[in-house]
Amino acid sequence: MSYEKIEFSCNYMETLHSDDDVIISRFKLLHTGRNINQCDILSESIPKSISSFYNKAIIYKLNNEYFPKDSSDVVEHSRDMYDTTMNIAGHIVESGGFELKTEEDGKEYLYMIGVIHKLYQPVLTNIIKNRNGNMKVSIEIKPLVAYRDADGVLVIQKFKLLGVCLLGEGIQEGIKGSKMQVLKYSSEEYNDKYLNFSKESFIMNS
């Protein structure tokens, strides 16, 4: 059985700090278990699928494509899986690894590290600043191994990440508690400080 891509909207991204060059971002991307999209992502699907997350694009689309400098927000990701008009803000970093953390609601949440290239995203950077660093994000996945249970819920055993999308303020979230936390790093200090950050400041699983 084949499945088309599925979008999971998350709550927000939270900016801790940034500079003029790059943004190192800590993403809270998804939780295991059932969500309002009537999908159930099994805990065991994460290690089977995590390799597909690395180096995937962080994408967005401005709400004024004709006059980008006048954009006040970003919009929802495209519903067309073949749409190639989204802008690329950055990518999920392979060397950042991942963390699965069980939180108060009993669900496991997936954390990963991403980079946004601020230097080449002045309009997006201004939007993030105007939103005090808080933006919703969404992941787009393609189920590879899945089945529907007796309630019609799609139980996902293995999947592929297609991308991570920044969402507009008014987009309804589908997965609660997800966010993006941004740390300050300059482009000159990127390699050394990022590697130290990934080893010391963020608990990773490999």
Side-chain angles (χ1 to χ4, degrees):
M1 183 179 297
S2 62
Y3 299 93
E4 297 297 320
K5 76 172 182 179
I6 299 175
E7 296 91 14
F8 294 115
S9 298
C10 307
N11 279 354
Y12 61 94
M13 74 176 219
E14 179 183 355
T15 299
L16 301 181
H17 207 82
S18 64
D19 63 21
D20 294 332
D21 303 309
V22 296
I23 300 173
I24 307 299
S25 310
R26 185 174 186 252
F27 286 86
K28 189 177 183 182
L29 291 174
L30 61 82
H31 65 70
T32 58
R34 188 177 297 192
N35 55 59
I36 65 172
N37 294 315
Q38 295 302 300
C39 291
D40 185 351
I41 300 177
L42 300 181
S43 295
E44 54 265 34
S45 73
I46 303 299
K48 295 177 182 177
S49 310
I50 199 67
S51 63
S52 72
F53 281 64
Y54 299 134
N55 303 315
K56 288 298 172 65
I58 301 167
I59 59 177
Y60 71 98
K61 182 177 286 188
L62 298 172
N63 65 359
N64 191 336
E65 295 183 70
Y66 297 103
F67 302 99
K69 292 183 180 180
D70 295 330
S71 297
S72 59
D73 203 352
V74 296
V75 295
E76 192 173 6
H77 44 72
S78 173
R79 297 297 179 181
D80 180 0
M81 71 179 301
Y82 300 106
D83 182 6
T84 59
T85 64
M86 301 294 287
N87 299 306
I88 297 177
H91 64 282
I92 299 297
V93 182
E94 183 172 1
S95 58
F98 71 98
E99 177 188 13
L100 269 178
K101 181 179 179 182
T102 302
E103 303 197 351
E104 294 180 357
D105 59 4
K107 298 179 184 296
E108 287 184 297
Y109 285 81
L110 175 65
Y111 290 84
M112 298 192 77
I113 297 296
V115 174
I116 291 178
H117 301 281
K118 268 182 68 175
L119 187 62
Y120 301 103
Q121 314 291 332
V123 177
L124 176 62
T125 297
N126 191 53
I127 291 170
I128 294 172
K129 181 179 179 181
N130 290 338
R131 296 265 294 277
N132 295 317
N134 296 315
M135 293 186 71
K136 297 178 183 179
V137 298
S138 172
I139 62 168
E140 299 177 350
I141 72 169
K142 182 176 182 179
L144 300 178
V145 181
Y147 65 91
R148 292 199 180 274
D149 65 14
D151 297 323
V153 173
L154 184 65
V155 180
I156 299 175
Q157 300 169 297
K158 184 178 180 181
F159 61 92
K160 176 181 180 180
L161 180 72
L162 301 178
V164 178
C165 184
L166 305 180
L167 297 181
E169 190 170 18
I171 305 299
Q172 181 181 2
E173 58 271 18
I175 298 179
K176 68 176 184 177
S178 297
K179 62 184 178 182
M180 175 179 132
Q181 297 177 312
V182 178
L183 301 176
K184 177 181 179 180
Y185 290 97
S186 70
S187 57
E188 293 179 353
E189 300 170 325
Y190 173 80
N191 288 328
D192 291 340
K193 287 197 173 182
Y194 173 69
L195 290 175
N196 288 333
F197 168 74
S198 65
K199 292 176 181 177
E200 299 173 5
S201 302
F202 190 64
I203 302 172
M204 298 295 175
N205 297 317
S206 58

